Amino acid sequence: DAKTTQPPSMDCAEGRAANLPCNHSTISGNEYVYWYRQIHSQGPQYIIHGLKNNETNEMASLIITEDRKSSTLILPHATLRDTAVYYCIVIEETSGSRLTFGEGTQLTVNP
Amino acid sequence: DAGVTQSPTHLIKTRGQHVTLRCSPISGHKSVSWYQQVLGQGPQFIFQYYEKEERGRGNFPDRFSARQFPNYSSELNVNALLLGDSALYLCASSPRPYSNQPQHFGDGTRLSIL
């Protein structure tokens, strides 16, 4: 079973920041938070991951709360091409490469 | 650099047949994982291979099998196809398992069973 909870859908206006929440209240100390997205008819695309510090790359920022029980993926300037299903996944480094996907959040960016 | 490539992109089979799906990982990646994605759901883990050995298996019947070759490419085989095997089959690669290096996915093979 997935260890994360996400809203099923969200809307965002083009050009505005998209903030996607994820709850992972049972996360343990050695588990990472990963974010992937899946655009229709394509494979999942890796976005970003983190352990406890906030992370930023060219695609997005990841904000992890101090207690690590939740996180937020931020797309700073959403475009229509960011419309996709976004998956938040918690994975332990020693579990190998097994990703457990939940239902994800369908983000729709509107013009 | 080439990403993860999968072939074929689409395939139509009938019940009872078998199918072989192929995956080439990103250059330098030695770990390959397979996932099944049924319409409307998230991907589900099937297998992981590293250095030609099975390192993990999801909750799938023995009709599903896989192997990894010396060049780290991989095949997924499914025997005695059922209607419920209709899905998008995804391959993902990473440098190695048991690390925090992310997996990267191909665009999958869409398998339809008639």
Side-chain angles (χ1 to χ4, degrees):
Chain A
D1 291 338
K3 302 180 183 178
T4 63
T5 304
Q6 300 177 251
S9 63
M10 294 183 64
D11 287 293
C12 176
E14 188 177 20
R16 305 297 292 270
N19 298 285
L20 292 95
C22 179
N23 181 288
H24 32 80
S25 58
T26 60
I27 194 169
S28 60
N30 59 350
E31 290 183 313
Y32 287 76
V33 180
Y34 278 74
W35 283 84
Y36 282 80
R37 73 181 182 184
Q38 189 170 24
I39 297 170
H40 184 62
S41 298
Q42 297 182 18
Q45 177 188 23
Y46 166 76
I47 303 173
I48 198 167
H49 73 282
L51 183 61
K52 53 184 177 182
N53 296 321
N54 297 337
E55 302 287 344
T56 295
N57 63 20
E58 65 278 4
M59 289 184 67
S61 295
L62 173 61
I63 308 299
I64 302 175
T65 58
E66 192 170 342
D67 63 6
R68 302 186 69 239
K69 293 185 177 182
S70 66
S71 61
T72 301
L73 178 75
I74 301 173
L75 308 178
H77 305 287
T79 71
L80 299 180
R81 288 190 299 270
D82 292 322
T83 292
V85 177
Y86 287 76
Y87 295 100
C88 170
I89 301 169
V90 166
I91 183 169
E92 183 182 340
E93 183 177 295
T94 58
S95 71
S97 299
R98 180 182 304 217
L99 297 175
T100 301
F101 289 81
E103 301 293 325
T105 296
Q106 171 66 59
L107 174 69
T108 302
V109 181
N110 300 304
Chain B
D1 289 344
V4 176
T5 58
Q6 293 187 243
S7 63
T9 55
H10 295 83
L11 200 53
I12 298 175
K13 293 285 189 178
T14 57
R15 284 179 297 172
Q17 287 188 312
H18 70 273
V19 68
T20 298
L21 311 180
R22 295 177 174 82
C23 171
S24 293
I26 292 171
S27 177
H29 286 193
K30 298 181 179 181
S31 177
V32 170
S33 297
W34 288 94
Y35 293 79
Q36 180 196 64
Q37 186 173 25
V38 175
L39 194 63
Q41 298 181 17
Q44 289 205 359
F45 174 78
I46 309 175
F47 285 112
Q48 185 210 2
Y49 275 77
Y50 176 62
E51 295 286 8
K52 296 172 289 184
E53 291 188 7
E54 182 181 306
R55 298 300 182 107
R57 185 184 184 112
N59 187 25
F60 281 82
D62 292 343
R63 298 185 297 107
F64 289 77
S65 63
R67 56 179 176 168
Q68 186 177 33
F69 299 98
N71 66 353
Y72 305 110
S73 67
S74 178
E75 284 182 354
L76 175 70
N77 296 285
V78 187
N79 293 324
L81 288 167
L82 305 174
L83 293 178
D85 295 332
S86 294
L88 180 67
Y89 288 85
L90 295 159
C91 174
S93 75
S94 63
R96 58 184 177 89
Y98 306 103
S99 75
N100 66 351
Q101 295 169 302
Q103 294 179 67
H104 296 275
F105 285 80
D107 283 336
T109 294
R110 173 75 62 187
L111 176 63
S112 299
I113 310 301
L114 303 180

